[in-house]
Amino acid sequence: MRSAVPQHQTNQQVSYSCWFNACYSFSALGFLRPLSVAVQKNNFRRLLRTVEAVSDLGPEITAEREFPQTARAMVSALMQAADAREVALFSFSDKPSMLVSIASDGFALMPEPAIIPLLPRHVHALITARGPVVLTSSSYSIFLSSNGNVAPELFRCIAPLKVGGKLVGMAALGRREADALYAAEELDALDLLCNYVALAIQNHTLAQSLAQRVGENLRLMASLHGFYDTALEAFAAAIDVKHINIHGHSLRVGRYAAGIGEAMGMEPGDVAALRSAGYLHDIGKVAVDKRLFGKPSALDPEEFREMADHTIVGHQIVSGVQFPWPRIPEIVRSHHERGDGSGYPDGLVMDDVAMPVRIIGLADTFDAMTSERPYREPLSVGSTLSEIVRLAPQKFDPNAVQGLLLQVRRDAVGSNRAPFLEDRTGLNIAPGDIDQLAASLQHKISHGRMYLT
Ligand SMILES: [Fe+2]
């Protein structure tokens, strides 16, 4: 629970400050003036009891504990200070205006929670009341309505709880021993204690409202993320609508890239970013002549340049968009770069290209090789992986390739909950062959021409 006093104050300090405030308040009220005359024996005992209750309450309301426990401690302190047999503590909530019980003790019949709806005139009367009020048969209806699940007649005395002039709750007292009336001493003691109780309830209400808002924001963000994913999937499908040969390409690249990232041990947020980047990596193809996608032979140099420009056009498109993942423009531009500088559009080498870009480049290549083209049949998964391992680490990042091998192997042994390759080209490679490829890749990294740190 949030403290009603500054966090840097210790419980001991709280007790001291409560003691000081209690003494000061009682002085101001005339209890200690002059001590020998005005303070009768009973009043002095009451004063001590109240100060004790205030001192005890400080640590209670500043302790890190559940609020119901603190509320029960506040009820005990109120019983002690006002010498009451029955006490209920309510918090006030607006819209609609009502009092809801948070703790009670001594009442034979007190529902949990007890609810008292309030009309505007009740709220006004509680806010303008100057301290605790002894209720009479004619004054119940001024402060409380009878429309709740508890009869106001149970209460003999009420103390509106206010912070900064705002109503935050109410302490309601029932009978005392031998049905004694609440006299000025009890009301003064109650008034003093209620300042602390009001602060504790307000802090709790604020903490609850903050938690509720954070929860609402998280739910909103989650729904936005869901919406975002769905929107990007639709976008990916729209990018690939140009020709039957590339149908589903962007969605698959998103799925492969996310799978590779996951196999490499990336955080869930980074994996989600890879999936989205895969969906959007070819966005520049919306500007490429549809005819080029269905050409039954290899592209001539002019056509190749137009096709290659999809990286630059795509970069221009996404650069003006505020994505939750900052690398999207970089990925869109550089996913055709290769480790040895043979890629396009900028001829970057491996060290110039970030890992997410390398992963998208690998996922894109894997899907392109295993897909049918107008001028060739699709390569099998086994042949594609052999070729990729042959080209690593010069063209492809070896760690990303290891991630790809791991995911395909999981498919081969049936350990992937959601298949990595889904309905893609039939898996024609045995786990042992994938292990051989992995060993070959490892050998190239550790004993071949390139050493990685
Ligand atoms: Fe591309």
PDB file of all heavy atoms in Angstrom, residues 17-33:
ATOM      1  N   SER A  17       5.708  12.024  14.804  1.00  0.00           N
ATOM      2  CA  SER A  17       4.936  13.112  14.226  1.00  0.00           C
ATOM      3  C   SER A  17       3.474  12.974  14.618  1.00  0.00           C
ATOM      4  O   SER A  17       2.791  13.954  14.861  1.00  0.00           O
ATOM      5  CB  SER A  17       5.118  13.158  12.707  1.00  0.00           C
ATOM      6  OG  SER A  17       4.128  12.449  12.065  1.00  0.00           O
ATOM      7  N   CYS A  18       2.962  11.724  14.721  1.00  0.00           N
ATOM      8  CA  CYS A  18       1.583  11.525  15.150  1.00  0.00           C
ATOM      9  C   CYS A  18       1.407  12.026  16.583  1.00  0.00           C
ATOM     10  O   CYS A  18       0.433  12.672  16.917  1.00  0.00           O
ATOM     11  CB  CYS A  18       1.213  10.045  15.080  1.00  0.00           C
ATOM     12  SG  CYS A  18       1.092   9.459  13.400  1.00  0.00           S
ATOM     13  N   TRP A  19       2.394  11.694  17.409  1.00  0.00           N
ATOM     14  CA  TRP A  19       2.338  12.096  18.805  1.00  0.00           C
ATOM     15  C   TRP A  19       2.283  13.617  18.884  1.00  0.00           C
ATOM     16  O   TRP A  19       1.465  14.192  19.590  1.00  0.00           O
ATOM     17  CB  TRP A  19       3.568  11.552  19.537  1.00  0.00           C
ATOM     18  CG  TRP A  19       3.712  12.095  20.922  1.00  0.00           C
ATOM     19  CD1 TRP A  19       4.362  13.219  21.326  1.00  0.00           C
ATOM     20  CD2 TRP A  19       3.126  11.545  22.103  1.00  0.00           C
ATOM     21  NE1 TRP A  19       4.241  13.394  22.664  1.00  0.00           N
ATOM     22  CE2 TRP A  19       3.482  12.374  23.181  1.00  0.00           C
ATOM     23  CE3 TRP A  19       2.350  10.408  22.352  1.00  0.00           C
ATOM     24  CZ2 TRP A  19       3.087  12.122  24.482  1.00  0.00           C
ATOM     25  CZ3 TRP A  19       1.967  10.165  23.661  1.00  0.00           C
ATOM     26  CH2 TRP A  19       2.332  11.009  24.700  1.00  0.00           C
ATOM     27  N   PHE A  20       3.165  14.272  18.118  1.00  0.00           N
ATOM     28  CA  PHE A  20       3.212  15.724  18.146  1.00  0.00           C
ATOM     29  C   PHE A  20       1.876  16.312  17.685  1.00  0.00           C
ATOM     30  O   PHE A  20       1.306  17.177  18.340  1.00  0.00           O
ATOM     31  CB  PHE A  20       4.325  16.223  17.220  1.00  0.00           C
ATOM     32  CG  PHE A  20       4.297  17.718  17.026  1.00  0.00           C
ATOM     33  CD1 PHE A  20       4.827  18.551  17.991  1.00  0.00           C
ATOM     34  CD2 PHE A  20       3.705  18.273  15.907  1.00  0.00           C
ATOM     35  CE1 PHE A  20       4.779  19.921  17.821  1.00  0.00           C
ATOM     36  CE2 PHE A  20       3.657  19.639  15.751  1.00  0.00           C
ATOM     37  CZ  PHE A  20       4.199  20.479  16.701  1.00  0.00           C
ATOM     38  N   ASN A  21       1.362  15.776  16.581  1.00  0.00           N
ATOM     39  CA  ASN A  21       0.101  16.294  16.052  1.00  0.00           C
ATOM     40  C   ASN A  21      -1.032  16.063  17.046  1.00  0.00           C
ATOM     41  O   ASN A  21      -1.906  16.904  17.216  1.00  0.00           O
ATOM     42  CB  ASN A  21      -0.254  15.604  14.730  1.00  0.00           C
ATOM     43  CG  ASN A  21       0.647  16.110  13.622  1.00  0.00           C
ATOM     44  OD1 ASN A  21       1.189  17.201  13.751  1.00  0.00           O
ATOM     45  ND2 ASN A  21       0.806  15.325  12.576  1.00  0.00           N
ATOM     46  N   ALA A  22      -1.002  14.887  17.686  1.00  0.00           N
ATOM     47  CA  ALA A  22      -2.062  14.581  18.632  1.00  0.00           C
ATOM     48  C   ALA A  22      -2.032  15.568  19.787  1.00  0.00           C
ATOM     49  O   ALA A  22      -3.048  16.151  20.152  1.00  0.00           O
ATOM     50  CB  ALA A  22      -1.882  13.158  19.159  1.00  0.00           C
ATOM     51  N   CYS A  23      -0.853  15.783  20.349  1.00  0.00           N
ATOM     52  CA  CYS A  23      -0.730  16.704  21.477  1.00  0.00           C
ATOM     53  C   CYS A  23      -1.138  18.103  21.066  1.00  0.00           C
ATOM     54  O   CYS A  23      -1.843  18.812  21.770  1.00  0.00           O
ATOM     55  CB  CYS A  23       0.709  16.722  22.003  1.00  0.00           C
ATOM     56  SG  CYS A  23       1.129  15.164  22.781  1.00  0.00           S
ATOM     57  N   TYR A  24      -0.669  18.488  19.863  1.00  0.00           N
ATOM     58  CA  TYR A  24      -0.974  19.831  19.383  1.00  0.00           C
ATOM     59  C   TYR A  24      -2.487  19.997  19.235  1.00  0.00           C
ATOM     60  O   TYR A  24      -3.065  20.966  19.692  1.00  0.00           O
ATOM     61  CB  TYR A  24      -0.301  20.084  18.035  1.00  0.00           C
ATOM     62  CG  TYR A  24      -0.707  21.401  17.436  1.00  0.00           C
ATOM     63  CD1 TYR A  24      -0.108  22.580  17.882  1.00  0.00           C
ATOM     64  CD2 TYR A  24      -1.726  21.477  16.494  1.00  0.00           C
ATOM     65  CE1 TYR A  24      -0.511  23.805  17.369  1.00  0.00           C
ATOM     66  CE2 TYR A  24      -2.126  22.693  15.985  1.00  0.00           C
ATOM     67  CZ  TYR A  24      -1.511  23.852  16.419  1.00  0.00           C
ATOM     68  OH  TYR A  24      -1.909  25.039  15.915  1.00  0.00           O
ATOM     69  N   SER A  25      -3.134  19.000  18.630  1.00  0.00           N
ATOM     70  CA  SER A  25      -4.563  19.090  18.386  1.00  0.00           C
ATOM     71  C   SER A  25      -5.323  19.162  19.702  1.00  0.00           C
ATOM     72  O   SER A  25      -6.253  19.947  19.843  1.00  0.00           O
ATOM     73  CB  SER A  25      -5.046  17.883  17.596  1.00  0.00           C
ATOM     74  OG  SER A  25      -4.393  17.873  16.361  1.00  0.00           O
ATOM     75  N   PHE A  26      -4.908  18.322  20.648  1.00  0.00           N
ATOM     76  CA  PHE A  26      -5.641  18.327  21.903  1.00  0.00           C
ATOM     77  C   PHE A  26      -5.423  19.632  22.645  1.00  0.00           C
ATOM     78  O   PHE A  26      -6.322  20.146  23.294  1.00  0.00           O
ATOM     79  CB  PHE A  26      -5.210  17.119  22.756  1.00  0.00           C
ATOM     80  CG  PHE A  26      -6.019  15.912  22.406  1.00  0.00           C
ATOM     81  CD1 PHE A  26      -5.769  15.194  21.239  1.00  0.00           C
ATOM     82  CD2 PHE A  26      -7.073  15.533  23.206  1.00  0.00           C
ATOM     83  CE1 PHE A  26      -6.537  14.113  20.902  1.00  0.00           C
ATOM     84  CE2 PHE A  26      -7.854  14.439  22.873  1.00  0.00           C
ATOM     85  CZ  PHE A  26      -7.593  13.719  21.719  1.00  0.00           C
ATOM     86  N   SER A  27      -4.211  20.190  22.558  1.00  0.00           N
ATOM     87  CA  SER A  27      -3.949  21.493  23.135  1.00  0.00           C
ATOM     88  C   SER A  27      -4.895  22.521  22.552  1.00  0.00           C
ATOM     89  O   SER A  27      -5.533  23.295  23.251  1.00  0.00           O
ATOM     90  CB  SER A  27      -2.540  21.929  22.791  1.00  0.00           C
ATOM     91  OG  SER A  27      -1.714  21.687  23.815  1.00  0.00           O
ATOM     92  N   ALA A  28      -4.951  22.509  21.222  1.00  0.00           N
ATOM     93  CA  ALA A  28      -5.754  23.499  20.530  1.00  0.00           C
ATOM     94  C   ALA A  28      -7.225  23.350  20.893  1.00  0.00           C
ATOM     95  O   ALA A  28      -7.967  24.324  20.931  1.00  0.00           O
ATOM     96  CB  ALA A  28      -5.581  23.335  19.025  1.00  0.00           C
ATOM     97  N   LEU A  29      -7.627  22.134  21.167  1.00  0.00           N
ATOM     98  CA  LEU A  29      -9.032  21.914  21.493  1.00  0.00           C
ATOM     99  C   LEU A  29      -9.343  22.222  22.960  1.00  0.00           C
ATOM    100  O   LEU A  29     -10.481  22.152  23.385  1.00  0.00           O
ATOM    101  CB  LEU A  29      -9.402  20.453  21.208  1.00  0.00           C
ATOM    102  CG  LEU A  29      -9.437  20.109  19.731  1.00  0.00           C
ATOM    103  CD1 LEU A  29      -9.455  18.605  19.566  1.00  0.00           C
ATOM    104  CD2 LEU A  29     -10.663  20.722  19.072  1.00  0.00           C
ATOM    105  N   GLY A  30      -8.301  22.508  23.722  1.00  0.00           N
ATOM    106  CA  GLY A  30      -8.537  22.898  25.096  1.00  0.00           C
ATOM    107  C   GLY A  30      -8.434  21.786  26.107  1.00  0.00           C
ATOM    108  O   GLY A  30      -8.643  22.013  27.284  1.00  0.00           O
ATOM    109  N   PHE A  31      -8.089  20.586  25.655  1.00  0.00           N
ATOM    110  CA  PHE A  31      -8.033  19.473  26.595  1.00  0.00           C
ATOM    111  C   PHE A  31      -6.924  19.646  27.632  1.00  0.00           C
ATOM    112  O   PHE A  31      -7.024  19.135  28.720  1.00  0.00           O
ATOM    113  CB  PHE A  31      -7.812  18.155  25.837  1.00  0.00           C
ATOM    114  CG  PHE A  31      -9.075  17.632  25.229  1.00  0.00           C
ATOM    115  CD1 PHE A  31      -9.453  17.990  23.956  1.00  0.00           C
ATOM    116  CD2 PHE A  31      -9.911  16.815  25.966  1.00  0.00           C
ATOM    117  CE1 PHE A  31     -10.619  17.523  23.412  1.00  0.00           C
ATOM    118  CE2 PHE A  31     -11.088  16.345  25.426  1.00  0.00           C
ATOM    119  CZ  PHE A  31     -11.451  16.701  24.139  1.00  0.00           C
ATOM    120  N   LEU A  32      -5.857  20.303  27.250  1.00  0.00           N
ATOM    121  CA  LEU A  32      -4.719  20.406  28.158  1.00  0.00           C
ATOM    122  C   LEU A  32      -4.670  21.774  28.847  1.00  0.00           C
ATOM    123  O   LEU A  32      -3.650  22.152  29.389  1.00  0.00           O
ATOM    124  CB  LEU A  32      -3.427  20.179  27.380  1.00  0.00           C
ATOM    125  CG  LEU A  32      -3.332  18.836  26.668  1.00  0.00           C
ATOM    126  CD1 LEU A  32      -2.028  18.747  25.892  1.00  0.00           C
ATOM    127  CD2 LEU A  32      -3.428  17.691  27.671  1.00  0.00           C
ATOM    128  N   ARG A  33      -5.739  22.518  28.859  1.00  0.00           N
ATOM    129  CA  ARG A  33      -5.663  23.912  29.313  1.00  0.00           C
ATOM    130  C   ARG A  33      -6.791  24.240  30.287  1.00  0.00           C
ATOM    131  O   ARG A  33      -7.944  24.257  29.868  1.00  0.00           O
ATOM    132  CB  ARG A  33      -5.763  24.805  28.087  1.00  0.00           C
ATOM    133  CG  ARG A  33      -5.659  26.274  28.348  1.00  0.00           C
ATOM    134  CD  ARG A  33      -5.494  27.045  27.067  1.00  0.00           C
ATOM    135  NE  ARG A  33      -6.124  26.487  25.915  1.00  0.00           N
ATOM    136  CZ  ARG A  33      -7.341  26.849  25.476  1.00  0.00           C
ATOM    137  NH1 ARG A  33      -8.044  27.741  26.107  1.00  0.00           N
ATOM    138  NH2 ARG A  33      -7.849  26.304  24.408  1.00  0.00           N
TER     139      ARG A  33
END
